[in-house]
Amino acid sequence: MIDKTKFYELFCFILTSARGCVDEPPIYGPLRLLDTYSRLIDALDEGSVDPFWQELKEQIDSYKNDAMYDAEGFVKAIDQTLAAVAQHIQEKGIEGEA
């Protein structure tokens, strides 16, 4: 389950991010989406998140600020993350996870 306070904070973050994307550099859009993923994982009850998705959050957190300093590396890291997710889904399947 998700804590209501954290849910409302996430909801407000998404809304303010949408507004921010209007005036910000285009690379900030993907950054904000990745930050939303991290915040969503943090908002879930501890122990309810499959370890793969928690590790993915930590991986994303390690490179998301590169968007401001190394756009090429940032995009490459997103591609690597997507490859890891695709591999995970092929190996385990989403249906098999809680």
Side-chain angles (χ1 to χ4, degrees):
M1 295 299 297
I2 190 169
D3 177 274
K4 284 185 181 184
T5 301
K6 290 180 180 180
F7 173 78
Y8 294 131
E9 288 173 2
L10 180 61
F11 183 66
C12 291
F13 174 78
I14 292 168
L15 289 173
T16 58
S17 291
R19 178 59 185 97
C21 284
V22 172
D23 300 317
E24 294 172 340
I27 196 78
Y28 282 24
L31 169 62
R32 289 185 175 273
L33 289 170
L34 293 174
D35 202 24
T36 300
Y37 174 85
S38 291
R39 290 170 182 253
L40 180 59
I41 294 295
D42 286 343
L44 295 173
D45 289 337
E46 196 170 317
S48 68
V49 178
D50 180 278
F52 172 81
W53 302 107
Q54 180 63 42
E55 290 170 17
L56 191 71
K57 176 215 176 292
E58 292 165 10
Q59 178 185 353
I60 289 169
D61 286 346
S62 75
Y63 69 75
K64 66 185 176 185
N65 289 331
D66 291 348
M68 294 178 272
Y69 309 106
D70 180 11
E72 187 176 320
F74 176 69
V75 172
K76 184 177 179 180
I78 293 172
D79 289 342
Q80 291 170 344
T81 299
L82 288 171
V85 169
Q87 181 178 351
H88 179 75
I89 290 170
Q90 286 178 337
E91 290 174 359
K92 304 239 179 194
I94 293 296
E95 300 85 24
E97 293 189 15

